[in-house]
Amino acid sequence: MAKCRICQTEYQPFIDFGPMPISNNFLSEKDFPREYFFSMKAGFCHSCSMVQLLEQPAADVMFHDNYTFFSGTSRLMAEHFKKFADDIKQNYLSDKASPFVVEIGSNDGIMLQNFAEAPYRHLGVEPSANVARVAQEKGLNSIVRFFNLDTAKEIVTAHGHADAFLAANCMCHIPTLHDIIEGIAHLMAPGGVVAFEDPYLGEVIRNTSFDQLYDEHVFLFSLHSISAAFAQHGFELIDAKPLETHGGSMRYYLSQKGKRPVSPRVKQLLQEEVNLGLLLPETYDKFRLGCEQIRDDLKYLLIKLKRDGKRVVGYAATSKSTTLLNYAGIGPDLIDFISDTTPLKQGKFSPGMHIPVLAAETLQGNYPEYLLLFAYNHQKEIFAKEAQFAKDGGKWIMFVPNVHVVE
Ligand code: SAH
Ligand code: TMP
Ligand code: ZN
């Protein structure tokens, strides 16, 4: 039994992924004996409908001066955040003289850079010092701090109230969601907009993309669970927008209750969640069976390819791949190496399964027969970039929504 972080109701886990390492902890051989593992189980609270990990490693084990996720690695994500910023400017800030925008989890500044010019004032709150430094070097205002009620108080004292609070792929990382929302409530100017996006529970269920669950992703949000959590602090959902990023995300727009009109889309999307079964415990039992199928099918395929003498290389050492590889028990015996563009990951080994991570250039002129695409959320960009691989007869292996080879 576990207690829901949002409403304190007791619930049972619906899946046990077994011991999991820190998803972004790409490590050297000398650190193997000291590697940190936690027990990764996920559950559904039938009372407030939040899907959550039962246990999460401490925040400073995950976010620190050696954090390996740099947002700027994808060109398409940079375009995506430009559009996010334009949406906020046009639809929520156009009537303000000098709007103040706060972003948490601002990382290397991929979104904030769109608010760098007047009339906007901006502030990033980012606890991982190395990525925050990249933003600071671009001339962006970014403080190295975890966002919470105390940080919100400091911000208000130093800069005043915020007209927009933004976050992307960050809110679902923070187990103390109530403390964050209290911080937001303290921070916002009357009628200010709160807009954040995270991987969407509905898409995870539709695609059996269980790899969205890893140490950092303590929650998988839905409109139902977000409404319930924010309602406790006087906020209401005013709009929501399904997104294609990260394999299927949702952007939530909230404001103090009664301050802004509520889009009819909110009701529609809430109904879609009901139709999809997101409020029913059975849905999560069915989901578990789907996870087991993917786990077993992929392992079987890789063993067969190995037996047939084929080479398989992993493409992009994503955080998500840590869940897949550890859950399925796929190691360097089945995958030669993982190719990745992030310098900090190269020359290291993948968390838990210890598959070598090598520079993307290693692949050029040295394609294997198969590439297993971990970064399926960047499929379009990657297939275009690696067009030569398929032309030379190489085949992509996909595992979402099921295990298949792209012929
Ligand atoms: N927004 C970026 C980065 C997402 S990664 C993008 O979408 O690409 C999540 C980021 O949240 C990390 O950089 C991590 O350091 C940061 N983070 C984690 N906990 C936080 C907290 N309590 N307050 C602010 N940022 C946090
Ligand atoms: P994520 O955004 O799904 O977490 O994955 C990001 C990782 O994927 C990061 O380590 C960089 C890597 N990557 C590549 O290696 N090649 C690529 O073309 C892209 C887009 C990402
Ligand atoms: Zn609950």
Side-chain angles (χ1 to χ4, degrees), residues 298-322:
L298 183 62
K299 184 122 187 206
Y300 179 81
L301 173 65
L302 294 178
I303 290 173
K304 184 173 168 300
L305 291 175
K306 188 82 193 179
R307 234 185 258 144
D308 294 348
K310 310 289 189 205
R311 274 179 73 217
V312 181
V313 167
Y315 199 97
T318 60
S319 354
K320 299 192 292 291
S321 66
T322 297

mmCIF file with all atom_site columns, all heavy atoms in Angstrom, residues 298-322:
data_model
loop_
_atom_site.group_PDB
_atom_site.id
_atom_site.type_symbol
_atom_site.label_atom_id
_atom_site.label_alt_id
_atom_site.label_comp_id
_atom_site.label_asym_id
_atom_site.label_entity_id
_atom_site.label_seq_id
_atom_site.pdbx_PDB_ins_code
_atom_site.Cartn_x
_atom_site.Cartn_y
_atom_site.Cartn_z
_atom_site.occupancy
_atom_site.B_iso_or_equiv
_atom_site.pdbx_formal_charge
_atom_site.auth_seq_id
_atom_site.auth_comp_id
_atom_site.auth_asym_id
_atom_site.auth_atom_id
_atom_site.pdbx_PDB_model_num
ATOM 1   N N   . LEU A 1 298 ? 10.629 -7.667  -27.437 1.00 0.00 ? 298 LEU A N   1
ATOM 2   C CA  . LEU A 1 298 ? 11.887 -7.008  -27.809 1.00 0.00 ? 298 LEU A CA  1
ATOM 3   C C   . LEU A 1 298 ? 13.075 -7.893  -27.447 1.00 0.00 ? 298 LEU A C   1
ATOM 4   O O   . LEU A 1 298 ? 14.008 -8.065  -28.241 1.00 0.00 ? 298 LEU A O   1
ATOM 5   C CB  . LEU A 1 298 ? 12.002 -5.643  -27.118 1.00 0.00 ? 298 LEU A CB  1
ATOM 6   C CG  . LEU A 1 298 ? 13.247 -4.859  -27.503 1.00 0.00 ? 298 LEU A CG  1
ATOM 7   C CD1 . LEU A 1 298 ? 13.258 -4.538  -29.000 1.00 0.00 ? 298 LEU A CD1 1
ATOM 8   C CD2 . LEU A 1 298 ? 13.360 -3.555  -26.709 1.00 0.00 ? 298 LEU A CD2 1
ATOM 9   N N   . LYS A 1 299 ? 13.028 -8.460  -26.278 1.00 0.00 ? 299 LYS A N   1
ATOM 10  C CA  . LYS A 1 299 ? 14.137 -9.310  -25.847 1.00 0.00 ? 299 LYS A CA  1
ATOM 11  C C   . LYS A 1 299 ? 14.257 -10.503 -26.803 1.00 0.00 ? 299 LYS A C   1
ATOM 12  O O   . LYS A 1 299 ? 15.351 -10.870 -27.231 1.00 0.00 ? 299 LYS A O   1
ATOM 13  C CB  . LYS A 1 299 ? 13.896 -9.787  -24.404 1.00 0.00 ? 299 LYS A CB  1
ATOM 14  C CG  . LYS A 1 299 ? 15.047 -10.583 -23.862 1.00 0.00 ? 299 LYS A CG  1
ATOM 15  C CD  . LYS A 1 299 ? 15.599 -9.983  -22.627 1.00 0.00 ? 299 LYS A CD  1
ATOM 16  C CE  . LYS A 1 299 ? 16.858 -10.732 -22.212 1.00 0.00 ? 299 LYS A CE  1
ATOM 17  N NZ  . LYS A 1 299 ? 17.117 -10.649 -20.801 1.00 0.00 ? 299 LYS A NZ  1
ATOM 18  N N   . TYR A 1 300 ? 13.143 -11.082 -27.165 1.00 0.00 ? 300 TYR A N   1
ATOM 19  C CA  . TYR A 1 300 ? 13.129 -12.233 -28.069 1.00 0.00 ? 300 TYR A CA  1
ATOM 20  C C   . TYR A 1 300 ? 13.732 -11.843 -29.425 1.00 0.00 ? 300 TYR A C   1
ATOM 21  O O   . TYR A 1 300 ? 14.578 -12.547 -29.970 1.00 0.00 ? 300 TYR A O   1
ATOM 22  C CB  . TYR A 1 300 ? 11.683 -12.726 -28.238 1.00 0.00 ? 300 TYR A CB  1
ATOM 23  C CG  . TYR A 1 300 ? 11.554 -13.891 -29.167 1.00 0.00 ? 300 TYR A CG  1
ATOM 24  C CD1 . TYR A 1 300 ? 11.819 -15.187 -28.726 1.00 0.00 ? 300 TYR A CD1 1
ATOM 25  C CD2 . TYR A 1 300 ? 11.195 -13.705 -30.505 1.00 0.00 ? 300 TYR A CD2 1
ATOM 26  C CE1 . TYR A 1 300 ? 11.725 -16.267 -29.590 1.00 0.00 ? 300 TYR A CE1 1
ATOM 27  C CE2 . TYR A 1 300 ? 11.092 -14.770 -31.375 1.00 0.00 ? 300 TYR A CE2 1
ATOM 28  C CZ  . TYR A 1 300 ? 11.357 -16.053 -30.913 1.00 0.00 ? 300 TYR A CZ  1
ATOM 29  O OH  . TYR A 1 300 ? 11.271 -17.109 -31.780 1.00 0.00 ? 300 TYR A OH  1
ATOM 30  N N   . LEU A 1 301 ? 13.312 -10.695 -29.951 1.00 0.00 ? 301 LEU A N   1
ATOM 31  C CA  . LEU A 1 301 ? 13.819 -10.238 -31.253 1.00 0.00 ? 301 LEU A CA  1
ATOM 32  C C   . LEU A 1 301 ? 15.330 -10.029 -31.203 1.00 0.00 ? 301 LEU A C   1
ATOM 33  O O   . LEU A 1 301 ? 16.063 -10.454 -32.111 1.00 0.00 ? 301 LEU A O   1
ATOM 34  C CB  . LEU A 1 301 ? 13.113 -8.930  -31.654 1.00 0.00 ? 301 LEU A CB  1
ATOM 35  C CG  . LEU A 1 301 ? 13.645 -8.231  -32.904 1.00 0.00 ? 301 LEU A CG  1
ATOM 36  C CD1 . LEU A 1 301 ? 13.424 -9.088  -34.156 1.00 0.00 ? 301 LEU A CD1 1
ATOM 37  C CD2 . LEU A 1 301 ? 12.979 -6.866  -33.097 1.00 0.00 ? 301 LEU A CD2 1
ATOM 38  N N   . LEU A 1 302 ? 15.817 -9.401  -30.138 1.00 0.00 ? 302 LEU A N   1
ATOM 39  C CA  . LEU A 1 302 ? 17.257 -9.118  -30.050 1.00 0.00 ? 302 LEU A CA  1
ATOM 40  C C   . LEU A 1 302 ? 18.070 -10.408 -29.905 1.00 0.00 ? 302 LEU A C   1
ATOM 41  O O   . LEU A 1 302 ? 19.157 -10.541 -30.476 1.00 0.00 ? 302 LEU A O   1
ATOM 42  C CB  . LEU A 1 302 ? 17.537 -8.166  -28.872 1.00 0.00 ? 302 LEU A CB  1
ATOM 43  C CG  . LEU A 1 302 ? 16.960 -6.752  -29.023 1.00 0.00 ? 302 LEU A CG  1
ATOM 44  C CD1 . LEU A 1 302 ? 17.251 -5.921  -27.786 1.00 0.00 ? 302 LEU A CD1 1
ATOM 45  C CD2 . LEU A 1 302 ? 17.511 -6.056  -30.268 1.00 0.00 ? 302 LEU A CD2 1
ATOM 46  N N   . ILE A 1 303 ? 17.546 -11.363 -29.164 1.00 0.00 ? 303 ILE A N   1
ATOM 47  C CA  . ILE A 1 303 ? 18.244 -12.648 -29.011 1.00 0.00 ? 303 ILE A CA  1
ATOM 48  C C   . ILE A 1 303 ? 18.305 -13.360 -30.371 1.00 0.00 ? 303 ILE A C   1
ATOM 49  O O   . ILE A 1 303 ? 19.346 -13.890 -30.771 1.00 0.00 ? 303 ILE A O   1
ATOM 50  C CB  . ILE A 1 303 ? 17.538 -13.528 -27.948 1.00 0.00 ? 303 ILE A CB  1
ATOM 51  C CG1 . ILE A 1 303 ? 17.742 -12.914 -26.553 1.00 0.00 ? 303 ILE A CG1 1
ATOM 52  C CG2 . ILE A 1 303 ? 18.064 -14.965 -27.982 1.00 0.00 ? 303 ILE A CG2 1
ATOM 53  C CD1 . ILE A 1 303 ? 16.958 -13.581 -25.433 1.00 0.00 ? 303 ILE A CD1 1
ATOM 54  N N   . LYS A 1 304 ? 17.210 -13.287 -31.094 1.00 0.00 ? 304 LYS A N   1
ATOM 55  C CA  . LYS A 1 304 ? 17.150 -13.941 -32.413 1.00 0.00 ? 304 LYS A CA  1
ATOM 56  C C   . LYS A 1 304 ? 18.148 -13.280 -33.380 1.00 0.00 ? 304 LYS A C   1
ATOM 57  O O   . LYS A 1 304 ? 18.889 -13.965 -34.087 1.00 0.00 ? 304 LYS A O   1
ATOM 58  C CB  . LYS A 1 304 ? 15.722 -13.823 -32.949 1.00 0.00 ? 304 LYS A CB  1
ATOM 59  C CG  . LYS A 1 304 ? 15.511 -14.539 -34.257 1.00 0.00 ? 304 LYS A CG  1
ATOM 60  C CD  . LYS A 1 304 ? 14.042 -14.532 -34.630 1.00 0.00 ? 304 LYS A CD  1
ATOM 61  C CE  . LYS A 1 304 ? 13.834 -14.981 -36.068 1.00 0.00 ? 304 LYS A CE  1
ATOM 62  N NZ  . LYS A 1 304 ? 14.527 -14.129 -37.027 1.00 0.00 ? 304 LYS A NZ  1
ATOM 63  N N   . LEU A 1 305 ? 18.196 -11.956 -33.385 1.00 0.00 ? 305 LEU A N   1
ATOM 64  C CA  . LEU A 1 305 ? 19.109 -11.253 -34.292 1.00 0.00 ? 305 LEU A CA  1
ATOM 65  C C   . LEU A 1 305 ? 20.554 -11.584 -33.949 1.00 0.00 ? 305 LEU A C   1
ATOM 66  O O   . LEU A 1 305 ? 21.395 -11.787 -34.825 1.00 0.00 ? 305 LEU A O   1
ATOM 67  C CB  . LEU A 1 305 ? 18.873 -9.739  -34.219 1.00 0.00 ? 305 LEU A CB  1
ATOM 68  C CG  . LEU A 1 305 ? 17.542 -9.259  -34.808 1.00 0.00 ? 305 LEU A CG  1
ATOM 69  C CD1 . LEU A 1 305 ? 17.353 -7.760  -34.572 1.00 0.00 ? 305 LEU A CD1 1
ATOM 70  C CD2 . LEU A 1 305 ? 17.461 -9.562  -36.302 1.00 0.00 ? 305 LEU A CD2 1
ATOM 71  N N   . LYS A 1 306 ? 20.826 -11.668 -32.666 1.00 0.00 ? 306 LYS A N   1
ATOM 72  C CA  . LYS A 1 306 ? 22.185 -11.999 -32.210 1.00 0.00 ? 306 LYS A CA  1
ATOM 73  C C   . LYS A 1 306 ? 22.567 -13.389 -32.722 1.00 0.00 ? 306 LYS A C   1
ATOM 74  O O   . LYS A 1 306 ? 23.664 -13.600 -33.253 1.00 0.00 ? 306 LYS A O   1
ATOM 75  C CB  . LYS A 1 306 ? 22.209 -11.972 -30.669 1.00 0.00 ? 306 LYS A CB  1
ATOM 76  C CG  . LYS A 1 306 ? 23.578 -12.102 -30.073 1.00 0.00 ? 306 LYS A CG  1
ATOM 77  C CD  . LYS A 1 306 ? 24.242 -10.752 -30.096 1.00 0.00 ? 306 LYS A CD  1
ATOM 78  C CE  . LYS A 1 306 ? 25.723 -10.843 -29.803 1.00 0.00 ? 306 LYS A CE  1
ATOM 79  N NZ  . LYS A 1 306 ? 26.352 -9.524  -29.860 1.00 0.00 ? 306 LYS A NZ  1
ATOM 80  N N   . ARG A 1 307 ? 21.641 -14.317 -32.564 1.00 0.00 ? 307 ARG A N   1
ATOM 81  C CA  . ARG A 1 307 ? 21.881 -15.691 -33.010 1.00 0.00 ? 307 ARG A CA  1
ATOM 82  C C   . ARG A 1 307 ? 22.128 -15.751 -34.515 1.00 0.00 ? 307 ARG A C   1
ATOM 83  O O   . ARG A 1 307 ? 22.923 -16.553 -34.991 1.00 0.00 ? 307 ARG A O   1
ATOM 84  C CB  . ARG A 1 307 ? 20.669 -16.557 -32.649 1.00 0.00 ? 307 ARG A CB  1
ATOM 85  C CG  . ARG A 1 307 ? 21.077 -17.778 -31.845 1.00 0.00 ? 307 ARG A CG  1
ATOM 86  C CD  . ARG A 1 307 ? 19.905 -18.678 -31.612 1.00 0.00 ? 307 ARG A CD  1
ATOM 87  N NE  . ARG A 1 307 ? 19.377 -18.523 -30.277 1.00 0.00 ? 307 ARG A NE  1
ATOM 88  C CZ  . ARG A 1 307 ? 18.086 -18.582 -29.962 1.00 0.00 ? 307 ARG A CZ  1
ATOM 89  N NH1 . ARG A 1 307 ? 17.158 -18.756 -30.885 1.00 0.00 ? 307 ARG A NH1 1
ATOM 90  N NH2 . ARG A 1 307 ? 17.703 -18.467 -28.726 1.00 0.00 ? 307 ARG A NH2 1
ATOM 91  N N   . ASP A 1 308 ? 21.440 -14.852 -35.249 1.00 0.00 ? 308 ASP A N   1
ATOM 92  C CA  . ASP A 1 308 ? 21.611 -14.808 -36.710 1.00 0.00 ? 308 ASP A CA  1
ATOM 93  C C   . ASP A 1 308 ? 22.849 -14.013 -37.115 1.00 0.00 ? 308 ASP A C   1
ATOM 94  O O   . ASP A 1 308 ? 23.077 -13.767 -38.305 1.00 0.00 ? 308 ASP A O   1
ATOM 95  C CB  . ASP A 1 308 ? 20.365 -14.169 -37.361 1.00 0.00 ? 308 ASP A CB  1
ATOM 96  C CG  . ASP A 1 308 ? 19.132 -15.033 -37.181 1.00 0.00 ? 308 ASP A CG  1
ATOM 97  O OD1 . ASP A 1 308 ? 19.289 -16.200 -36.762 1.00 0.00 ? 308 ASP A OD1 1
ATOM 98  O OD2 . ASP A 1 308 ? 18.018 -14.534 -37.430 1.00 0.00 ? 308 ASP A OD2 1
ATOM 99  N N   . GLY A 1 309 ? 23.613 -13.568 -36.136 1.00 0.00 ? 309 GLY A N   1
ATOM 100 C CA  . GLY A 1 309 ? 24.866 -12.865 -36.437 1.00 0.00 ? 309 GLY A CA  1
ATOM 101 C C   . GLY A 1 309 ? 24.678 -11.420 -36.865 1.00 0.00 ? 309 GLY A C   1
ATOM 102 O O   . GLY A 1 309 ? 25.558 -10.824 -37.495 1.00 0.00 ? 309 GLY A O   1
ATOM 103 N N   . LYS A 1 310 ? 23.537 -10.806 -36.553 1.00 0.00 ? 310 LYS A N   1
ATOM 104 C CA  . LYS A 1 310 ? 23.298 -9.402  -36.938 1.00 0.00 ? 310 LYS A CA  1
ATOM 105 C C   . LYS A 1 310 ? 23.771 -8.464  -35.828 1.00 0.00 ? 310 LYS A C   1
ATOM 106 O O   . LYS A 1 310 ? 23.724 -8.806  -34.656 1.00 0.00 ? 310 LYS A O   1
ATOM 107 C CB  . LYS A 1 310 ? 21.796 -9.147  -37.155 1.00 0.00 ? 310 LYS A CB  1
ATOM 108 C CG  . LYS A 1 310 ? 21.121 -10.140 -38.064 1.00 0.00 ? 310 LYS A CG  1
ATOM 109 C CD  . LYS A 1 310 ? 21.541 -9.974  -39.497 1.00 0.00 ? 310 LYS A CD  1
ATOM 110 C CE  . LYS A 1 310 ? 20.676 -10.838 -40.397 1.00 0.00 ? 310 LYS A CE  1
ATOM 111 N NZ  . LYS A 1 310 ? 21.382 -11.167 -41.645 1.00 0.00 ? 310 LYS A NZ  1
ATOM 112 N N   . ARG A 1 311 ? 24.208 -7.269  -36.250 1.00 0.00 ? 311 ARG A N   1
ATOM 113 C CA  . ARG A 1 311 ? 24.620 -6.262  -35.260 1.00 0.00 ? 311 ARG A CA  1
ATOM 114 C C   . ARG A 1 311 ? 23.468 -5.303  -34.983 1.00 0.00 ? 311 ARG A C   1
ATOM 115 O O   . ARG A 1 311 ? 22.816 -4.813  -35.905 1.00 0.00 ? 311 ARG A O   1
ATOM 116 C CB  . ARG A 1 311 ? 25.787 -5.439  -35.805 1.00 0.00 ? 311 ARG A CB  1
ATOM 117 C CG  . ARG A 1 311 ? 27.161 -6.071  -35.550 1.00 0.00 ? 311 ARG A CG  1
ATOM 118 C CD  . ARG A 1 311 ? 28.220 -5.181  -36.159 1.00 0.00 ? 311 ARG A CD  1
ATOM 119 N NE  . ARG A 1 311 ? 28.403 -3.952  -35.389 1.00 0.00 ? 311 ARG A NE  1
ATOM 120 C CZ  . ARG A 1 311 ? 28.647 -2.752  -35.941 1.00 0.00 ? 311 ARG A CZ  1
ATOM 121 N NH1 . ARG A 1 311 ? 28.718 -2.617  -37.239 1.00 0.00 ? 311 ARG A NH1 1
ATOM 122 N NH2 . ARG A 1 311 ? 28.826 -1.702  -35.169 1.00 0.00 ? 311 ARG A NH2 1
ATOM 123 N N   . VAL A 1 312 ? 23.254 -5.008  -33.709 1.00 0.00 ? 312 VAL A N   1
ATOM 124 C CA  . VAL A 1 312 ? 22.230 -4.028  -33.325 1.00 0.00 ? 312 VAL A CA  1
ATOM 125 C C   . VAL A 1 312 ? 22.894 -2.918  -32.504 1.00 0.00 ? 312 VAL A C   1
ATOM 126 O O   . VAL A 1 312 ? 23.652 -3.204  -31.574 1.00 0.00 ? 312 VAL A O   1
ATOM 127 C CB  . VAL A 1 312 ? 21.101 -4.672  -32.481 1.00 0.00 ? 312 VAL A CB  1
ATOM 128 C CG1 . VAL A 1 312 ? 20.035 -3.635  -32.120 1.00 0.00 ? 312 VAL A CG1 1
ATOM 129 C CG2 . VAL A 1 312 ? 20.466 -5.852  -33.205 1.00 0.00 ? 312 VAL A CG2 1
ATOM 130 N N   . VAL A 1 313 ? 22.615 -1.684  -32.884 1.00 0.00 ? 313 VAL A N   1
ATOM 131 C CA  . VAL A 1 313 ? 23.124 -0.528  -32.133 1.00 0.00 ? 313 VAL A CA  1
ATOM 132 C C   . VAL A 1 313 ? 21.912 0.284   -31.657 1.00 0.00 ? 313 VAL A C   1
ATOM 133 O O   . VAL A 1 313 ? 20.916 0.401   -32.389 1.00 0.00 ? 313 VAL A O   1
ATOM 134 C CB  . VAL A 1 313 ? 24.061 0.320   -33.034 1.00 0.00 ? 313 VAL A CB  1
ATOM 135 C CG1 . VAL A 1 313 ? 24.363 1.681   -32.403 1.00 0.00 ? 313 VAL A CG1 1
ATOM 136 C CG2 . VAL A 1 313 ? 25.365 -0.440  -33.306 1.00 0.00 ? 313 VAL A CG2 1
ATOM 137 N N   . GLY A 1 314 ? 21.986 0.806   -30.460 1.00 0.00 ? 314 GLY A N   1
ATOM 138 C CA  . GLY A 1 314 ? 20.908 1.651   -29.933 1.00 0.00 ? 314 GLY A CA  1
ATOM 139 C C   . GLY A 1 314 ? 21.086 3.069   -30.438 1.00 0.00 ? 314 GLY A C   1
ATOM 140 O O   . GLY A 1 314 ? 22.216 3.562   -30.540 1.00 0.00 ? 314 GLY A O   1
ATOM 141 N N   . TYR A 1 315 ? 19.983 3.759   -30.743 1.00 0.00 ? 315 TYR A N   1
ATOM 142 C CA  . TYR A 1 315 ? 20.078 5.130   -31.244 1.00 0.00 ? 315 TYR A CA  1
ATOM 143 C C   . TYR A 1 315 ? 19.528 6.113   -30.223 1.00 0.00 ? 315 TYR A C   1
ATOM 144 O O   . TYR A 1 315 ? 18.333 6.110   -29.943 1.00 0.00 ? 315 TYR A O   1
ATOM 145 C CB  . TYR A 1 315 ? 19.326 5.263   -32.583 1.00 0.00 ? 315 TYR A CB  1
ATOM 146 C CG  . TYR A 1 315 ? 19.756 6.485   -33.367 1.00 0.00 ? 315 TYR A CG  1
ATOM 147 C CD1 . TYR A 1 315 ? 20.708 6.386   -34.374 1.00 0.00 ? 315 TYR A CD1 1
ATOM 148 C CD2 . TYR A 1 315 ? 19.252 7.740   -33.051 1.00 0.00 ? 315 TYR A CD2 1
ATOM 149 C CE1 . TYR A 1 315 ? 21.135 7.512   -35.073 1.00 0.00 ? 315 TYR A CE1 1
ATOM 150 C CE2 . TYR A 1 315 ? 19.674 8.865   -33.726 1.00 0.00 ? 315 TYR A CE2 1
ATOM 151 C CZ  . TYR A 1 315 ? 20.611 8.746   -34.743 1.00 0.00 ? 315 TYR A CZ  1
ATOM 152 O OH  . TYR A 1 315 ? 21.039 9.861   -35.427 1.00 0.00 ? 315 TYR A OH  1
ATOM 153 N N   . ALA A 1 316 ? 20.389 6.940   -29.661 1.00 0.00 ? 316 ALA A N   1
ATOM 154 C CA  . ALA A 1 316 ? 20.086 7.993   -28.684 1.00 0.00 ? 316 ALA A CA  1
ATOM 155 C C   . ALA A 1 316 ? 19.913 7.430   -27.264 1.00 0.00 ? 316 ALA A C   1
ATOM 156 O O   . ALA A 1 316 ? 18.976 6.684   -26.985 1.00 0.00 ? 316 ALA A O   1
ATOM 157 C CB  . ALA A 1 316 ? 18.855 8.801   -29.073 1.00 0.00 ? 316 ALA A CB  1
ATOM 158 N N   . ALA A 1 317 ? 20.839 7.808   -26.409 1.00 0.00 ? 317 ALA A N   1
ATOM 159 C CA  . ALA A 1 317 ? 20.829 7.327   -25.017 1.00 0.00 ? 317 ALA A CA  1
ATOM 160 C C   . ALA A 1 317 ? 19.874 8.186   -24.192 1.00 0.00 ? 317 ALA A C   1
ATOM 161 O O   . ALA A 1 317 ? 20.284 9.001   -23.370 1.00 0.00 ? 317 ALA A O   1
ATOM 162 C CB  . ALA A 1 317 ? 22.243 7.389   -24.449 1.00 0.00 ? 317 ALA A CB  1
ATOM 163 N N   . THR A 1 318 ? 18.595 8.001   -24.430 1.00 0.00 ? 318 THR A N   1
ATOM 164 C CA  . THR A 1 318 ? 17.568 8.802   -23.755 1.00 0.00 ? 318 THR A CA  1
ATOM 165 C C   . THR A 1 318 ? 17.391 8.341   -22.310 1.00 0.00 ? 318 THR A C   1
ATOM 166 O O   . THR A 1 318 ? 17.730 7.213   -21.961 1.00 0.00 ? 318 THR A O   1
ATOM 167 C CB  . THR A 1 318 ? 16.217 8.641   -24.468 1.00 0.00 ? 318 THR A CB  1
ATOM 168 O OG1 . THR A 1 318 ? 15.866 7.253   -24.420 1.00 0.00 ? 318 THR A OG1 1
ATOM 169 C CG2 . THR A 1 318 ? 16.284 9.059   -25.909 1.00 0.00 ? 318 THR A CG2 1
ATOM 170 N N   . SER A 1 319 ? 16.795 9.206   -21.508 1.00 0.00 ? 319 SER A N   1
ATOM 171 C CA  . SER A 1 319 ? 16.470 8.800   -20.137 1.00 0.00 ? 319 SER A CA  1
ATOM 172 C C   . SER A 1 319 ? 15.464 7.655   -20.169 1.00 0.00 ? 319 SER A C   1
ATOM 173 O O   . SER A 1 319 ? 15.532 6.724   -19.379 1.00 0.00 ? 319 SER A O   1
ATOM 174 C CB  . SER A 1 319 ? 15.883 9.961   -19.339 1.00 0.00 ? 319 SER A CB  1
ATOM 175 O OG  . SER A 1 319 ? 15.911 11.163  -20.043 1.00 0.00 ? 319 SER A OG  1
ATOM 176 N N   . LYS A 1 320 ? 14.520 7.753   -21.128 1.00 0.00 ? 320 LYS A N   1
ATOM 177 C CA  . LYS A 1 320 ? 13.486 6.724   -21.243 1.00 0.00 ? 320 LYS A CA  1
ATOM 178 C C   . LYS A 1 320 ? 14.057 5.332   -21.475 1.00 0.00 ? 320 LYS A C   1
ATOM 179 O O   . LYS A 1 320 ? 13.509 4.336   -21.006 1.00 0.00 ? 320 LYS A O   1
ATOM 180 C CB  . LYS A 1 320 ? 12.566 7.032   -22.440 1.00 0.00 ? 320 LYS A CB  1
ATOM 181 C CG  . LYS A 1 320 ? 11.830 8.340   -22.357 1.00 0.00 ? 320 LYS A CG  1
ATOM 182 C CD  . LYS A 1 320 ? 10.738 8.434   -23.422 1.00 0.00 ? 320 LYS A CD  1
ATOM 183 C CE  . LYS A 1 320 ? 11.246 8.524   -24.839 1.00 0.00 ? 320 LYS A CE  1
ATOM 184 N NZ  . LYS A 1 320 ? 11.920 9.765   -25.173 1.00 0.00 ? 320 LYS A NZ  1
ATOM 185 N N   . SER A 1 321 ? 15.178 5.270   -22.205 1.00 0.00 ? 321 SER A N   1
ATOM 186 C CA  . SER A 1 321 ? 15.737 3.958   -22.545 1.00 0.00 ? 321 SER A CA  1
ATOM 187 C C   . SER A 1 321 ? 16.211 3.218   -21.295 1.00 0.00 ? 321 SER A C   1
ATOM 188 O O   . SER A 1 321 ? 16.287 1.991   -21.280 1.00 0.00 ? 321 SER A O   1
ATOM 189 C CB  . SER A 1 321 ? 16.881 4.093   -23.552 1.00 0.00 ? 321 SER A CB  1
ATOM 190 O OG  . SER A 1 321 ? 17.971 4.780   -22.968 1.00 0.00 ? 321 SER A OG  1
ATOM 191 N N   . THR A 1 322 ? 16.501 3.960   -20.230 1.00 0.00 ? 322 THR A N   1
ATOM 192 C CA  . THR A 1 322 ? 16.941 3.321   -18.991 1.00 0.00 ? 322 THR A CA  1
ATOM 193 C C   . THR A 1 322 ? 15.862 2.389   -18.452 1.00 0.00 ? 322 THR A C   1
ATOM 194 O O   . THR A 1 322 ? 16.147 1.274   -18.005 1.00 0.00 ? 322 THR A O   1
ATOM 195 C CB  . THR A 1 322 ? 17.315 4.392   -17.944 1.00 0.00 ? 322 THR A CB  1
ATOM 196 O OG1 . THR A 1 322 ? 18.419 5.135   -18.463 1.00 0.00 ? 322 THR A OG1 1
ATOM 197 C CG2 . THR A 1 322 ? 17.703 3.778   -16.616 1.00 0.00 ? 322 THR A CG2 1
#
